[in-house]
Amino acid sequence: MPKQVDHRERREAIAHALWRVVEQQGWARATMREVAREAGVSLGQLQHYFSSRTAMLTFAIDFAAEQTSHRVTHGLAALDQPPHPREVLRVVITEMLPLQPDARTTSRMNAAYVLEALHNPDLQAQASLGLREGKAMVERLIRQALADGQIPSDRDPTVETDLILALTGFTPLLELDVVTPQAALAAIDQHLGRLFHPSERPAF
Amino acid sequence: MPKQVDHRERREAIAHALWRVVEQQGWARATMREVAREAGVSLGQLQHYFSSRTAMLTFAIDFAAEQTSHRVTHGLAALDQPPHPREVLRVVITEMLPLQPDARTTSRMNAAYVLEALHNPDLQAQASLGLREGKAMVERLIRQALADGQIPSDRDPTVETDLILALTGFTPLLELDVVTPQAALAAIDQHLGRLFHPSERPAF
């Protein structure tokens, strides 16, 4: 196996160990020492792969974003082709929410990471960039659907993009069982239904 | 001054010290020792007021909720009386978001607290209860507005309540400058405008 691939695999195994620590013990426990213990390597070996805690967190968050992206790609492949933009947005939103174990892990990583980023300028630039890329992707979908007449022309693409992103606000409500997964999905479907077919609101 | 009031004042002063530590250094640094240092008291004195870190965090979060409630009451008093339910919901949502320094502090406290609660059953019960009370308050407003014909009768009160709560999803977007305060307020106003007057959508 080429050396570079092996290096990448080791780093991914360490990122998985970090996720387990965050999932089971919380972000504050995710020290280099604790992650080394969880990964079954020495602190010195860990430091060979990551020179600092910030470098480790940066890699782990990028890797989490990659995993979310894989889940979205997989979800999109399961849709009728070509997929309706409403269905594309539904997959993007639901894969960001803690609705199943993989997504819950990456969701907790992201929430902890935003808080840590407020006190760590290196992480802040990366966190902000990640969110901006997500926003740009949603906005492209909305603008295309507007151009294709799937969203009424009186909707403002910026407002609609921001309202879609804000649906990630279901995260703490789901984590603390204040809203059930079924209720969150019903609300998301209502929101998307009104965006794409505002004149065809179902009667309850 | 009666002893009980003095006790309460000391606890509030310690809660303010805790907030400053969370605001400036992050949640992970909010140890009993660090809060004692920030409050200018000995660790022994701090332990006289709070027997454990969990007891201190519980009080500080309850106190943050009280402060948010005071800000909401103040915001409501500034509205035309009796206030329109759309304006009441606007005040409730905006005071939950990190749009000005006081609200930013309590918002960061809450975000960190939700994450800590996932690994601390005592905090989890309290966090869940606080969110449920907020949800019940929003739902009462929505149901009253439905009964009063201010919201169209084909809207589902549960779905509308959940979509209002999800607007707190603007928190990380505001914290990381991905959405401006102006854009968040514009999106919130659009959402509320459509809830109360869905047939009068402004043309852009």
Side-chain angles (χ1 to χ4, degrees), chain B residues 55-170:
Chain B
M56 177 179 73
L57 297 178
T58 299
F59 177 82
I61 286 288
D62 278 344
F63 186 46
E66 248 174 59
Q67 296 302 304
T68 304
S69 172
H70 286 324
R71 288 199 313 273
V72 168
T73 303
H74 195 259
L76 296 183
L79 298 175
D80 291 338
Q81 301 299 323
H84 190 284
R86 184 187 57 233
E87 298 304 315
V88 175
L89 286 172
R90 188 179 197 274
V91 168
V92 170
I93 298 161
T94 54
E95 288 300 342
M96 302 280 291
L97 294 175
L99 290 168
Q100 41 92 2
D102 283 1
R104 195 180 63 181
T105 302
T106 47
S107 163
R108 286 183 183 188
M109 284 289 295
N110 282 321
Y113 170 62
V114 167
L115 281 175
E116 173 119 351
L118 299 178
H119 306 280
N120 182 332
D122 293 337
L123 290 182
Q124 187 153 10
Q126 185 199 18
S128 179
L129 182 66
L131 282 174
R132 277 172 211 281
E133 285 173 357
K135 181 181 176 179
M137 189 262 286
V138 170
E139 188 163 343
R140 274 195 304 277
L141 280 167
I142 300 261
R143 287 189 184 276
Q144 187 61 50
L146 267 162
D148 293 346
Q150 292 163 311
I151 292 176
S153 61
D154 62 356
R155 295 294 184 111
D156 179 87
T158 307
V159 164
E160 300 308 335
T161 299
D162 291 347
L163 285 174
I164 293 287
L165 296 178
L167 292 171
T168 54
F170 278 115

Side-chain angles (χ1 to χ4, degrees), chain A residues 22-24 26 108 112 115 118-119 128 131-132 135 154-155 160 166 169 176-178 194 201 204, chain B residues 22-24 26 108 112 115 118-119 128 131-132 135 154-155 160 162 166 169 176-178 194 201 204:
Chain A
V22 170
E23 177 78 10
Q24 290 157 19
R108 288 184 181 186
L115 282 175
L118 300 177
H119 306 280
S128 179
L131 282 174
R132 278 172 210 281
K135 182 181 176 179
D154 61 357
R155 296 294 185 110
E160 301 307 335
L176 292 171
D177 294 326
V178 175
R194 288 177 205 154
R201 273 204 323 280
F204 288 94
Chain B
V22 171
E23 176 79 9
Q24 290 157 19
R108 286 183 183 188
L115 281 175
L118 299 178
H119 306 280
S128 179
L131 282 174
R132 277 172 211 281
K135 181 181 176 179
D154 62 356
R155 295 294 184 111
E160 300 308 335
D162 291 347
L176 292 171
D177 295 326
V178 175
R194 287 177 206 154
R201 273 203 323 278
F204 290 94

Side-chain angles (χ1 to χ4, degrees), chain A residues 88-166:
Chain A
V88 175
L89 286 171
R90 188 178 196 275
V91 168
V92 170
I93 297 161
T94 54
E95 288 299 343
M96 302 279 292
L97 294 174
L99 291 169
Q100 41 92 0
D102 282 2
R104 195 180 63 181
T105 302
T106 48
S107 163
R108 288 184 181 186
M109 284 288 297
N110 281 321
Y113 169 63
V114 167
L115 282 175
E116 173 119 352
L118 300 177
H119 306 280
N120 182 331
D122 292 337
L123 290 182
Q124 188 153 10
Q126 185 199 17
S128 179
L129 182 66
L131 282 174
R132 278 172 210 281
E133 285 173 356
K135 182 181 176 179
M137 189 261 289
V138 170
E139 189 163 343
R140 273 195 304 277
L141 280 168
I142 300 260
R143 287 189 184 277
Q144 187 62 49
L146 268 163
D148 293 346
Q150 292 163 311
I151 291 176
S153 60
D154 61 357
R155 296 294 185 110
D156 179 87
T158 307
V159 164
E160 301 307 335
T161 298
D162 291 348
L163 285 174
I164 293 286
L165 296 178

